[in-house]
Amino acid sequence: MTELVAEKLSVHAGRTPLVTEANFLIGAGEFVALIGPNGAGKTSLLRASLGLERASGGRASVNGDNSAELAPMERARRVAYLPQQRPLAWPNTVRDVVALGRYAYGAAPGRLGNQDADAVDRALMKCGLEELATRQTDTLSGGELARVHFARALASEAGLLVADEPVAALDPRHQFRIMDIIQQYVAAGGGALVVLHDISLAARYASRMIWMKDTCIVSDGPVEDTLTAERMAEVFGVSAKVAGRAVEIEGAV
């Protein structure tokens, strides 16, 4: 079981606050959606909690170990991180890119042991990429490439998945497919912290929502408790009708 904990975690860029005293705990069996407008501090919170961005205060840990002190390969064994920006240094086959998810275990494309190859095959299958496995990544559509990067994260088979807008470039069918995969990952004992901008999609799948506004976490709890018309107005400045997990945005406040 992998736990990701933030305790009064703060991030600054010079004198500008990006994250202010954030507290949360993400554990096994949780599908947590991180919600908030652009500029709220979501990406900085993810990166600082994993030790990938320097914190200016507080502490973040993975299984009790300070995130900032973890060696990159050890961090990658514990947490699969899918960033918002996913550049590829050079074109390669889909299978070889997905195989990079096994790097933390000493594997590399073209040098996979049986266990690594099986993990890559499972990730390709889950993301519906078997028929694209030998294609060069520079021949793919944006949506196809998004699925390749997601499969790369899955191939690590880490205990926790942290993903920054994993469905942003996908059509509705593949958005649901990726969300179903995350849900299955959580049901199998993993934990997931996922940045989402589609509130309806988050409400449908998440077991918990963390809401951010102006660098601060303003709410953290079950969907039914935190998804309200008042919170939609507070965080996003929109008027919305909310009934359980169903939300209908009517317009700006």
Side-chain angles (χ1 to χ4, degrees), residues 199-200 203 209 211 222-234 236 238-250:
I199 306 301
S200 295
M209 283 179 159
W211 298 74
V223 176
E224 293 82 0
D225 295 341
T226 63
L227 177 58
T228 64
E230 293 76 15
R231 182 146 293 114
M232 290 293 292
E234 172 197 3
F236 289 103
V238 297
S239 175
K241 290 181 179 179
V242 178
R245 288 176 174 255
V247 58
E248 179 183 348
I249 298 175
E250 299 177 321

Side-chain angles (χ1 to χ4, degrees), residues 83-168:
Q84 190 177 120
Q85 302 298 325
R86 307 154 198 159
L88 289 171
W90 60 85
N92 216 323
T93 68
V94 166
R95 183 177 178 81
D96 282 351
V97 171
V98 174
L100 292 173
R102 302 301 298 174
Y103 177 75
Y105 300 93
R111 197 174 70 245
L112 298 179
N114 291 337
Q115 186 174 352
D116 299 311
D118 288 345
V120 170
D121 287 340
R122 283 191 292 270
L124 289 167
M125 181 183 65
K126 286 178 181 177
C127 294
L129 295 169
E130 305 102 305
E131 294 183 1
L132 300 178
T134 59
R135 281 266 299 273
Q136 297 292 121
T137 54
D138 59 351
T139 69
L140 302 179
S141 69
E144 289 169 338
L145 191 56
R147 283 190 284 144
V148 171
H149 285 295
F150 189 79
R152 173 182 173 178
L154 280 183
S156 71
E157 298 189 334
L160 185 69
L161 171 68
V162 176
D164 198 345
E165 299 188 43
V167 299

Side-chain angles (χ1 to χ4, degrees), residues 19-217:
V19 177
T20 304
E21 295 195 348
N23 296 284
F24 66 73
L25 186 154
I26 312 295
E30 292 190 292
F31 188 155
V32 183
L34 181 57
I35 306 296
N38 294 332
K42 302 183 298 298
T43 295
S44 289
L45 177 59
L46 294 189
R47 289 179 53 79
S49 69
L50 296 177
L52 301 173
E53 186 168 334
R54 184 176 177 274
S56 55
R59 184 178 186 270
S61 62
V62 181
N63 284 357
D65 296 322
N66 191 320
S67 300
E69 297 175 359
L70 286 173
M73 290 184 72
E74 179 59 31
R75 181 188 295 112
R77 290 190 191 103
R78 300 185 190 190
V79 183
Y81 174 53
L82 184 64
Q84 190 177 120
Q85 302 298 325
R86 307 154 198 159
L88 289 171
W90 60 85
N92 216 323
T93 68
V94 166
R95 183 177 178 81
D96 282 351
V97 171
V98 174
L100 292 173
R102 302 301 298 174
Y103 177 75
Y105 300 93
R111 197 174 70 245
L112 298 179
N114 291 337
Q115 186 174 352
D116 299 311
D118 288 345
V120 170
D121 287 340
R122 283 191 292 270
L124 289 167
M125 181 183 65
K126 286 178 181 177
C127 294
L129 295 169
E130 305 102 305
E131 294 183 1
L132 300 178
T134 59
R135 281 266 299 273
Q136 297 292 121
T137 54
D138 59 351
T139 69
L140 302 179
S141 69
E144 289 169 338
L145 191 56
R147 283 190 284 144
V148 171
H149 285 295
F150 189 79
R152 173 182 173 178
L154 280 183
S156 71
E157 298 189 334
L160 185 69
L161 171 68
V162 176
D164 198 345
E165 299 188 43
V167 299
L170 300 180
D171 60 45
R173 176 174 176 266
H174 285 105
Q175 285 186 355
F176 285 122
R177 181 166 193 165
I178 292 299
M179 296 294 280
D180 285 340
I181 293 168
I182 299 175
Q183 194 172 60
Q184 292 161 12
Y185 170 88
V186 169
L193 175 59
V194 183
V195 173
L196 294 166
H197 280 293
D198 187 324
I199 306 301
S200 295
L201 201 63
R204 175 171 178 159
Y205 283 92
S207 57
R208 186 172 133 216
M209 283 179 159
I210 297 176
W211 298 74
M212 288 192 76
K213 180 187 178 186
D214 297 335
T215 79
C216 298
I217 291 177

